[in-house]
Amino acid sequence: MTSFRAPPDVTVVTGAAGWLGTGLLAALGPGGAHERDGEIRAFVRPGDALRVDVPAWVVHGDVSDAASVAALFEGISSDAVVDVIHAAGVIHPAAGTDEFDAVNHLGTHHVAEAARTHGVRRLVHVSSNSPFGTNAARTDTFRNDEPYHPYFGYGWSKMHAELAVFDAVEQGLDAVIVRPPWFYGPHQPERQTTFLTMVRTGRFPVLGDGGQRRSMSYIDNLVQGIVRAELVPTEPGRAWWIADERPYTIREIVDTVGDALRAEGHDVTPNRMRLPSLAGSVAERIDGVLQDRGRYHQQFHVLGEMNKTIAVDISAARRDLGYAPEIALHEGMRRSVRWCRENGIEL
């Protein structure tokens, strides 16, 4: 039976206006699946606002600025129990690849240093599969002790972010890492809505035979894993893959999303968008050339990954944290489609 520590007096969530941050606040706030009585302190970028109505102390700042991060802890009593969930990060930068290092690497360093200085009980850092690249073969699955093999700028920045966390652990910080792959669910950004629309209209590109595998994580499964990483007593410096029960093939993902859309009343055009696997390799090459020049193009980057397998093994999270993903792809995508409808988002 998994044991849990009591929730903290103060829960700090960075990136609180983002997709994952919004899901975390919804789960931690009143009526949420992981509701807690203590203060929630939400760190958001200047000009951003929370996307869910929860009682939270909002602090505006930028993780790339150490002074902003330090201010996040102002006014917290010295005897308060404080946990930090570091969900801030940039995946698709608007201003070029320098954002990767500034936000993901240096931002994590600033958060970890501030957490150590202020004596937080535990920091949970949200990482990614990108520090480990892609699987060598379709049958391969990333183990929990996989060596680093970063994929382009995002992967390098998230690898260095993890190393910054491990450095802080060596200096006395109780910190752990969760590593989600592609996640999905309510509060999604425009790029995920575009994905649903492309599947609905039969225009999502399937590369090769579509048999390459992808691990995915419904956002509620991911939040469960994060909260368990926070509250289950473990040694500092541990890291876990957090994903759905099993990987899915690209064919299965497209077919299942189509079924979910139909179940929610949408007309779905059968997918006829087939491209040779070579198209992914060409897109990956273009992505690499652009990133070498400090530029980032989301479509080339995403297409460059689509002929590859990214599959992970969640058994360590099951063993150590009692993690048990409850929502699989079909139900998760139905909930995503319903959320779009309820928020007036056309697919």
Side-chain angles (χ1 to χ4, degrees):
M1 182 116 180
T2 305
S3 61
F4 293 86
R5 294 184 288 202
D9 301 314
V10 181
T11 306
V12 175
V13 179
T14 70
W19 185 4
L20 175 56
T22 300
L24 281 163
L25 293 188
L28 299 176
H34 304 282
E35 179 179 359
R36 52 186 59 176
D37 296 328
E39 176 189 319
I40 297 174
R41 189 162 288 204
F43 194 53
V44 302
R45 293 177 301 179
D48 284 352
L50 299 186
R51 298 167 57 201
V52 288
D53 185 17
V54 298
W57 182 309
V58 178
V59 179
H60 288 89
D62 190 326
V63 293
S64 64
D65 175 46
S68 287
V69 176
L72 180 56
F73 295 89
E74 289 179 359
I76 298 177
S77 171
S78 60
D79 60 356
V81 175
V82 182
D83 287 347
V84 176
I85 300 174
H86 179 43
V90 59
I91 301 174
H92 301 295
T97 57
D98 286 350
E99 276 190 79
F100 285 138
D101 192 65
V103 176
N104 297 340
H105 168 212
L106 295 178
T108 299
H109 169 74
H110 295 151
V111 171
E113 282 300 295
R116 187 175 64 84
T117 299
H118 288 85
V120 304
R121 182 178 66 176
R122 170 156 284 189
L123 178 142
V124 181
H125 169 59
V126 181
S127 187
S128 166
N129 58 267
S130 283
F132 306 91
T134 61
N135 297 96
R138 289 183 176 184
T139 55
D140 183 34
T141 302
F142 283 143
R143 304 168 298 276
N144 214 57
D145 58 350
E146 199 71 25
Y148 288 123
H149 189 245
Y151 190 75
F152 288 127
Y154 179 67
W156 280 99
S157 69
K158 295 296 275 189
M159 179 190 76
H160 286 295
E162 289 200 5
L163 294 175
V165 171
F166 292 138
D167 285 345
V169 168
E170 289 185 0
Q171 297 176 56
L173 177 66
D174 184 338
V176 294
I177 296 171
V178 297
R179 296 165 173 158
W182 177 6
F183 58 90
Y184 62 101
H187 312 292
Q188 65 195 33
E190 184 178 352
R191 66 179 184 271
Q192 187 73 1
T193 301
T194 299
F195 164 65
L196 295 178
T197 301
M198 292 177 76
V199 172
R200 185 188 66 76
T201 57
R203 295 185 295 109
F204 184 78
V206 174
L207 274 59
D209 65 359
Q212 53 271 37
R213 298 185 303 143
R214 296 299 292 265
S215 284
M216 300 179 71
S217 182
Y218 181 64
I219 195 163
D220 289 5
N221 295 339
L222 176 51
V223 169
Q224 180 210 144
I226 290 170
V227 171
R228 285 177 173 266
E230 175 200 4
L231 299 182
V232 174
T234 62
E235 293 181 2
R238 300 296 305 278
W240 301 276
W241 294 110
I242 301 295
D244 290 356
E245 180 80 24
R246 62 175 179 83
Y248 314 101
T249 67
I250 295 295
R251 283 194 312 270
E252 182 182 10
I253 292 169
V254 173
D255 290 346
T256 302
V257 172
D259 290 344
L261 285 158
R262 290 186 191 93
E264 292 299 322
H266 289 273
D267 293 326
V268 178
T269 301
N271 187 280
R272 297 188 179 89
M273 188 69 170
R274 295 289 192 272
L275 295 175
S277 182
L278 179 62
S281 300
V282 171
E284 181 182 38
R285 180 66 180 270
I286 295 171
D287 184 23
V289 170
L290 290 173
Q291 291 205 35
D292 283 345
R293 298 175 181 178
R295 297 164 59 193
Y296 182 85
H297 192 287
Q298 181 177 323
Q299 284 74 24
F300 283 125
H301 181 77
V302 172
L303 185 61
E305 288 186 325
M306 290 309 298
N307 64 345
K308 298 170 178 60
T309 285
I310 304 173
V312 306
D313 177 3
I314 64 170
S315 59
R318 286 186 174 282
R319 180 193 67 225
D320 299 341
L321 306 176
Y323 172 64
E326 298 175 355
I327 306 298
L329 186 62
H330 185 265
E331 176 59 25
M333 285 298 178
R334 286 195 67 171
R335 295 184 185 190
S336 301
V337 173
R338 285 200 296 270
W339 178 84
C340 289
R341 182 173 61 245
E342 291 163 0
N343 287 272
I345 299 172
E346 271 193 50
L347 297 177

